[in-house]
């Protein structure tokens, strides 16, 4: 059974720093790896999706990497801003359960201090 | 605007009083899903649907029902709610492809069962 872990559970950094969020998964046979952002009182917003054949994806100041062999993904945020404060979740659909079956980590709550 | 709409956003009710949380999407997505989010447990899938009249259990289906009579709607029914169903609920949708697509989430419904 796929298990997804995100460490740390919470992270607080000063504005302007570059930072890395970590996601690990136990079953490397995945369709893709997805990163979401959740703001308080809101739903999840998709940030990046890395297909299993890819190594990384970039969107603006965000870069996500995928290493299936080690069961790890990282989300790199460059030049962090207070508006980046949110909870970040990763999710991976294992191949045995279908491409839409997302298994989520518990998230990293990120605070960017002005 | 492409969106997933849930209603109500907040509900306080009592044990045993049947309730329905509606979910509607305007993106013609085949796949729809319900999740609940609880502190320490993360997001867990309740039910999902691959298309009209096709529904299946997720990881925590006990105490819930769903139906998919139209492609755009996927209501979640609690026939006899209990306090352990107090939670934050999310509906999500996506197209169905062989490799997976980002899921679009509603803003959530916070249910309190007294």
């Amino acid at each position: 059974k796929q298990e997804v872990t995100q460490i740390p559970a919470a992270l607080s950094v000063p504005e302007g720093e570059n930072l890395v969020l970590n996601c690990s998964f136990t079953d490397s046979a995945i369709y893709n790896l997805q990163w979401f952002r959740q703001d308080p009182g809101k739903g999840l917003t998709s940030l990046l999706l890395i297909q299993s054949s890819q190594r990384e994806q970039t969107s603006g100041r965000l870069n996500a990497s995928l290493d299936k062999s080690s069961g790890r993904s990282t989300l790199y945020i460059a030049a962090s801003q207070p508006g980046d404060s949110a909870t970040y979740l990763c999710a991976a659909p294992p191949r045995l359960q279908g491409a839409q079956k997302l298994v989520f980590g518990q998230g990293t709550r990120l605070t960017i201090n002005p | 605007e492409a969106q997933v709409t849930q209603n109500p956003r907040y509900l306080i009710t009592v044990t045993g009083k049947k309730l329905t949380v509606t979910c509607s999407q305007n993106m013609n997505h085949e796949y729809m899903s319900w999740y609940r989010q609880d502190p320490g447990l993360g997001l867990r899938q309740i039910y999902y649907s691959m298309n009209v009249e096709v529904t299946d259990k997720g990881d925590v289906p006990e105490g819930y029902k769903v139906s998919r009579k139209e492609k755009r709607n996927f209501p979640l029914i609690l026939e006899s709610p209990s306090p352990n169903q107090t939670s934050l609920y999310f509906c999500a949708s996506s197209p169905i492809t062989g490799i997976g697509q980002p899921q679009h989430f509603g803003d959530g419904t916070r249910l309190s069962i007294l």
Side-chain angles (χ1 to χ4, degrees):
Chain A
K1 182 182 173 184
Q2 178 74 285
E3 293 182 7
V4 179
T5 303
Q6 293 184 248
I7 295 173
L11 181 64
S12 180
V13 301
E15 181 178 4
E17 282 203 3
N18 304 323
L19 58 98
V20 173
L21 306 181
N22 297 296
C23 172
S24 62
F25 46 93
T26 55
D27 183 354
S28 61
I30 57 174
Y31 283 97
N32 56 63
L33 192 292
Q34 301 187 34
W35 283 93
F36 294 86
R37 168 186 174 137
Q38 184 176 20
D39 293 284
K42 291 285 191 178
L44 282 66
T45 300
S46 178
L47 295 173
L48 290 165
L49 183 153
I50 313 173
Q51 299 294 354
S52 63
S53 59
Q54 299 174 319
R55 294 300 298 268
E56 64 180 316
Q57 278 286 336
T58 297
S59 175
R61 294 182 293 107
L62 305 179
N63 175 276
S65 68
L66 175 63
D67 182 347
K68 287 194 304 177
S69 62
S70 65
R72 295 178 63 180
S73 175
T74 61
L75 179 66
Y76 174 83
I77 302 177
S80 59
Q81 303 170 358
D84 295 329
S85 297
T87 297
Y88 291 81
L89 297 109
C90 65
R95 283 199 174 272
L96 288 179
Q97 295 183 273
Q100 285 73 39
K101 169 65 175 179
L102 295 180
V103 178
F104 285 89
Q106 293 201 28
T108 294
R109 188 169 67 252
L110 177 64
T111 303
I112 308 298
N113 301 303
Chain B
E1 180 189 351
Q3 58 186 3
V4 177
T5 303
Q6 296 178 226
N7 279 297
R9 292 289 317 280
Y10 305 91
L11 179 64
I12 301 174
T13 188
V14 296
T15 299
K17 185 176 182 182
K18 179 179 179 180
L19 67 92
T20 299
V21 185
T22 64
C23 174
S24 180
Q25 51 94 3
N26 62 1
M27 296 165 280
N28 203 37
H29 288 164
E30 297 88 2
Y31 182 84
M32 297 186 75
S33 179
W34 277 103
Y35 299 89
R36 60 178 290 176
Q37 187 176 36
D38 302 287
L41 296 175
L43 274 152
R44 295 177 292 168
Q45 189 180 52
I46 303 170
Y47 268 96
Y48 65 95
S49 169
M50 301 291 277
N51 214 326
V52 176
E53 303 291 2
V54 181
T55 63
D56 209 344
K57 297 177 181 178
D59 299 316
V60 287
E62 296 78 19
Y64 304 95
K65 284 178 57 178
V66 294
S67 68
R68 187 95 181 270
K69 293 183 170 55
E70 304 165 286
K71 197 171 188 179
R72 63 184 291 123
N73 296 323
F74 190 44
L76 179 70
I77 303 156
L78 286 70
E79 296 228 331
S80 184
S82 63
N84 64 10
Q85 293 177 298
T86 292
S87 187
L88 180 58
Y89 291 85
F90 290 103
C91 179
S93 73
S94 74
I96 288 182
T97 67
I99 55 174
Q101 295 292 328
Q103 290 190 14
H104 298 252
F105 282 75
D107 283 343
T109 295
R110 187 168 292 281
L111 284 184
S112 294
I113 315 295
L114 305 177

